[in-house]
Amino acid sequence: MLKISWRSGTWGTRLKYQPANDANYFRLTLHPEIHLWSLSINVHKIMQRKKLVCLFFLLVLYGSTKVHAQVLTLKEAVQTALTNYGSIKSRANYINASKESATQAKRDYLPNLNVSAQQDYGTVNGQFGPSYGLNGLGVASSGPTLSSQNSNAAFGGLYLANINWDFFAFGRSREKIKTAQAVVTRDEADLQQEQFQQEVRVAAAYLNLLAAQRLTTSWQRNLARADTFRFVVVTRVLNGLIPGVDSSLANAEVSSARIAYTKAKDFEQTQANQLAVLMGVPPKDFVLDTVFITKIPSSLLDPLHDSLQNHPLLKYYENRIRLSDAQASYYHTLNFPAFSLFGVGQTRGSGFSSSYATDQTAYTKNYWDGVKPSRSNYLIGIGVTWNITTPLRVSHQVKAQKYISQGLKDEYDLVQQQLNAQISLAGTRILNALDNYREAPIQVNAASDAYLQRTVLYKNGLTNIVDVTQVSYTLNRAETDRDIAYTNVWQALLLKAAASGNFSLFINEF
């Protein structure tokens, strides 16, 4: 069988020529990693070699250009996730809300200034007797106490300005502002740690998808080897050189390889969907950057210089503790009284004359005469308010908040212990990944040589199909182990970056 193979750059574009079933045709297959084009060409129609070469290059350039236009780099995937992912956008809105609350807390210290104006029409019958405006219900009518009810009514007006300012409350307003600002700081730290974790999640999903794609390619090569070997077996069976049972075994191996290849594609699609979800984009087939995967990162064995205290997750837990402490300090100020400064300015107008008490005809129904201001008063003062039973309640509120702070400190210590354990694990993972990285090519080369030897021996009748099948399994396992070993090197570096809280340690390699 005539076979021509060609690989273009790093995109895995492959050109293969093999005879078709009809002797007058040959099959041209252009096979990038995610596309497959097949074209049957009549040999009698294309006889000139120059035309055939031109056709080859046109198809190759088309395939390479199409793949190149769709390549998704790791940095692009991370940036897309930071822009689109819902939890990050929600935390940005929480920060905006916290900033507005902090501004409100600052303005709560401003004095209360109330202005009111009213114009009324009614009677002014007065009566001696106690009264209480329960729930604010009641009518205030200031007038003489007459011997009987009358229906004389006139216009009146009341114009009032009131200012009230709690100018000193033993730091209550200051602690309230600090608490609101602590909420802003906590929410900002929450956004930073969420962005950091999202970067790690996207990078891990990217590497997982890349590994899945490489495994799919390995299983595809395994299927191609099984199919090629079946062709050899069937040919020898038809020529009577070997028993027919060998063709049945070869068919079984092809079916098994095809099933494994289908499972690999299903797993690849699952990983692609996970990456799409983390990026906040619709699921689709991603073409990933494969240039870096066979290299060893330059910073893989560099010591960690950054302090673990700067880890975004620890900073978030630290700000939670600070917020709880600020809330406890604010609650403590509720034990003390508040000193207030107040003032009132009032102007009134009335349609009833000053002699109305002795002359019930001394009033006017003219609107302007009734609402026109005619009497004014002012009042200024200073006061103190203190609910002396408040300390009995607030003391327990402060204690409860301090227990919450202690609980948050325990969570901080737990996270710190987990990160220290991850740093230790990352060091071990790096050493193991490097060992496997060095061994993987040796295993693949040995398995490839063994497979070539067994197939040649089988073609010459010096071994059986079981030996060939066994060495095929060995070669496929070696290829998949190599793909996993290459990916694990970068996964180890990602674990190191995640444990240290320095994602630039990983992303700067790209």
Side-chain angles (χ1 to χ4, degrees), residues 1 17 72 77 103 119 144-145 148 188 238 244 268 276 390 453 478 480 501:
M1 181 182 68
Y17 162 73
L72 175 68
T103 303
Q119 298 175 351
T145 304
S148 62
E188 289 176 344
L238 293 178
E268 177 187 337
T390 297
Q453 180 190 44
T480 55

Side-chain angles (χ1 to χ4, degrees), residues 345-358:
Q346 174 182 288
T347 298
R348 298 189 63 182
S350 177
F352 290 91
S353 173
S354 60
S355 60
Y356 181 75
T358 57

Side-chain angles (χ1 to χ4, degrees), residues 45-324:
K45 291 184 179 180
I46 303 179
M47 298 299 295
Q48 297 181 3
R49 183 178 180 181
K50 292 183 179 180
K51 293 183 179 180
L52 182 60
V53 171
C54 291
L55 179 62
F56 281 7
F57 279 102
L58 285 175
L59 290 174
V60 170
L61 290 175
Y62 173 75
S64 299
T65 302
K66 189 173 182 65
V67 173
H68 184 272
Q70 297 177 349
V71 172
L72 175 68
T73 64
L74 181 56
K75 286 186 176 182
E76 291 173 348
V78 171
Q79 188 58 45
T80 302
L82 294 180
T83 303
N84 295 339
Y85 200 59
S87 65
I88 294 178
K89 293 193 293 186
S90 65
R91 281 167 171 77
N93 287 321
Y94 296 155
I95 291 176
N96 293 332
S98 300
K99 289 180 178 179
E100 294 297 330
S101 298
T103 303
Q104 176 193 352
K106 294 178 181 178
R107 295 183 179 180
D108 283 344
Y109 185 66
L110 298 176
N112 298 318
L113 177 61
N114 300 312
V115 179
S116 67
Q118 63 180 30
Q119 298 175 351
D120 316 290
Y121 179 81
T123 60
V124 290
N125 293 295
Q127 183 178 18
F128 293 114
S131 65
Y132 177 69
L134 183 64
N135 295 329
L137 301 178
V139 178
S141 298
S142 58
T145 304
L146 303 177
S147 59
S148 62
Q149 170 75 21
N150 68 56
S151 300
N152 297 334
F155 288 98
L158 176 63
Y159 312 97
L160 177 68
N162 174 279
I163 186 171
N164 189 339
W165 182 29
D166 293 339
F167 65 94
F168 180 72
F170 296 91
R172 184 180 305 172
S173 296
R174 181 179 65 252
E175 294 300 329
K176 184 177 181 181
I177 293 172
K178 287 183 178 179
T179 301
Q181 291 175 339
V183 173
V184 176
T185 305
R186 181 206 60 185
D187 290 344
E188 289 176 344
D190 187 22
L191 174 61
Q192 292 175 0
Q193 69 87 21
E194 180 64 20
Q195 289 176 334
F196 173 76
Q197 294 198 35
Q198 186 65 13
E199 288 172 339
V200 174
R201 287 192 290 261
V202 172
Y206 189 96
L207 293 177
N208 289 337
L209 176 57
L210 184 58
Q213 290 181 349
R214 292 179 64 86
L215 290 174
T216 300
T217 303
S218 295
W219 285 107
Q220 186 180 24
R221 285 197 297 265
N222 182 63
L223 174 59
R225 284 194 299 266
D227 192 29
T228 302
F229 183 71
R230 179 180 61 175
F231 178 79
V232 174
V233 172
V234 171
T235 302
R236 292 176 60 82
V237 169
L238 293 178
N239 292 329
L241 300 177
I242 57 176
V245 68
D246 281 12
S247 63
S248 298
L249 292 175
N251 289 330
E253 289 302 320
V254 170
S255 297
S256 177
R258 185 173 289 111
I259 291 174
Y261 174 59
T262 303
K263 291 181 178 179
K265 290 194 297 183
D266 182 70
F267 178 72
E268 177 187 337
Q269 187 60 51
T270 301
Q271 299 300 317
N273 286 351
Q274 291 180 0
L275 179 60
V277 170
L278 292 174
M279 291 174 58
V281 298
K284 61 181 179 180
D285 293 329
F286 295 102
V287 180
L288 306 183
D289 181 12
T290 60
V291 175
F292 69 92
I293 194 64
T294 58
K295 301 178 182 178
I296 296 180
S298 58
S299 61
L300 190 63
L301 297 178
D302 291 346
L304 296 177
H305 300 290
D306 295 339
S307 172
L308 196 61
Q309 302 296 328
N310 294 324
H311 197 289
L313 189 57
L314 287 180
K315 295 293 289 184
Y316 168 64
Y317 277 89
E318 181 180 345
N319 281 284
R320 291 177 65 193
I321 297 172
R322 291 178 179 175
L323 172 59
S324 181

Side-chain angles (χ1 to χ4, degrees), residues 24 56 85 133 345 387 435 477:
N24 294 327
F56 281 7
Y85 200 59
N387 188 340
D435 290 340
R477 184 177 67 249

